[in-house]
Amino acid sequence: MLNKINFFRRYRKKRFFQDLIKKDQVCFDIGANMGSKTDLFLSTGANVIAFEPQQQCFDVLISKFKNNPRVTVEKVAVGEINSQKTLKISNESQISTFSDEFIKAYSHQTQFNWNGMEDVEMKTLDTLIQKYGVPDFCKIDVEGYEPQIFTSLSYNIPLTSFEFNYPLRHLSIECIKILEKFESPSFNYVAFESPKFELNRWVNSKEMMQIINRLPEQVKTGDIYMKNAIL
């Protein structure tokens, strides 16, 4: 029964992304971790460039996708400048982060720690776009470091998603304000890992900020999607 449930969950997620990503389009997977989203993007027929700074996750990605010509894996973090930076490594790799604010927000959960450190290379999203071209879709999941990525972004990406966390809603608001630099962006969101948009229409930045501010506490995390006016 569990295998059947997992199959249908994956099928629904695949259908969700098939409506957003077309065959042979290019996806950036920023914060690829172990490659679960890369797998989903590949299932649509897309080409994926996966960016992951953690050595253990990078090793998994290389092993997993080494024979797939539609995947490029680069060991790099994405942020506000091209530099070297210290990543705080968690015992749960999905929540390793550069953000002290993120760690403070979740440090009360005693099952997690950030006792490790790893010096990694950081590049701006603009630098990666200059290397690989403007992606059709860019997924960003960097545990509270999203504003820093958007601050230095100057390219108009057709579709972008970034994670939100309930205790750090103000960072999502900050991201939306930064993204207002692009012409008439519109927004929607997904709660948790649900394979559907919560809103029945795309809304402007002001409406999206109001929605984020009014989210109930039980919506602990999810992804905000931004569609640019060029679509």
Side-chain angles (χ1 to χ4, degrees):
M1 178 60 74
L2 183 59
N3 286 339
K4 185 180 289 187
I5 291 171
N6 288 336
F7 171 82
F8 281 112
R9 281 178 179 167
R10 179 173 172 77
Y11 174 76
R12 291 180 64 203
K13 288 179 181 180
K14 179 180 176 180
R15 288 293 302 270
F16 174 78
F17 283 110
Q18 282 177 330
D19 289 339
L20 299 175
I21 305 166
K22 305 307 177 189
K23 188 176 184 295
D24 295 327
Q25 287 189 329
V26 175
C27 300
F28 280 9
D29 187 354
I30 295 176
N33 198 255
M34 303 291 186
S36 60
K37 285 290 175 65
T38 291
D39 274 329
L40 280 172
F41 302 155
L42 288 171
S43 73
T44 71
N47 300 295
V48 183
I49 304 168
F51 304 99
E52 174 54 52
Q54 294 181 81
Q55 185 66 54
Q56 71 171 92
C57 297
F58 175 77
D59 292 342
V60 170
L61 293 170
I62 289 294
S63 176
K64 189 174 184 178
F65 299 114
K66 61 185 176 183
N67 296 319
N68 193 324
R70 291 194 289 121
V71 182
T72 299
V73 181
E74 184 163 340
K75 187 180 183 298
V76 67
V78 185
E80 68 275 31
I81 55 173
N82 295 328
S83 65
Q84 294 285 317
K85 197 169 180 74
T86 301
L87 182 68
K88 285 86 170 178
I89 303 295
S90 174
N91 59 321
E92 172 52 63
S93 67
Q94 290 182 332
I95 57 171
S96 295
T97 182
F98 293 109
S99 171
D100 291 332
E101 192 170 3
F102 180 91
I103 293 173
K104 182 178 179 180
Y106 288 99
S107 58
H108 66 283
Q109 298 189 19
T110 56
Q111 70 270 35
F112 302 133
N113 69 68
W114 289 265
N115 294 334
M117 289 193 207
E118 194 172 321
D119 290 332
V120 301
E121 183 178 15
M122 175 179 283
K123 293 181 181 178
T124 67
L125 186 47
D126 272 18
T127 297
L128 299 174
I129 288 172
Q130 288 158 13
K131 180 176 180 178
Y132 294 107
V134 177
D136 299 284
F137 173 57
C138 180
K139 164 254 170 184
I140 300 172
D141 184 353
V142 292
E143 312 310 315
Y145 211 68
E146 292 82 6
Q148 286 83 350
I149 291 178
F150 290 132
T151 295
S152 61
L153 176 64
S154 62
Y155 288 91
N156 202 331
I157 301 172
L159 185 66
T160 304
S161 73
F162 58 97
E163 185 186 41
F164 70 85
N165 293 279
Y166 182 83
L168 299 169
R169 298 187 306 288
H170 63 285
L171 295 182
S172 300
I173 301 298
E174 184 179 345
C175 287
I176 294 169
K177 287 180 178 178
I178 294 169
L179 292 167
E180 287 180 318
K181 64 186 172 182
F182 298 108
E183 182 182 355
S184 302
S186 56
F187 298 86
N188 210 322
Y189 79 99
V190 168
F192 306 107
E193 289 285 335
S194 174
K196 66 181 181 68
F197 286 119
E198 295 296 317
L199 307 177
N200 57 18
R201 64 181 179 87
W202 292 73
V203 300
N204 63 32
S205 57
K206 182 179 179 181
E207 291 175 288
M208 192 69 237
M209 287 187 280
Q210 291 171 343
I211 290 166
I212 293 298
N213 274 326
R214 293 197 303 262
L215 283 176
E217 189 173 356
Q218 60 264 32
V219 183
K220 297 186 183 302
T221 187
D223 294 286
I224 297 170
Y225 283 73
M226 183 191 78
K227 183 166 60 173
N228 266 317
I230 59 173
L231 282 182

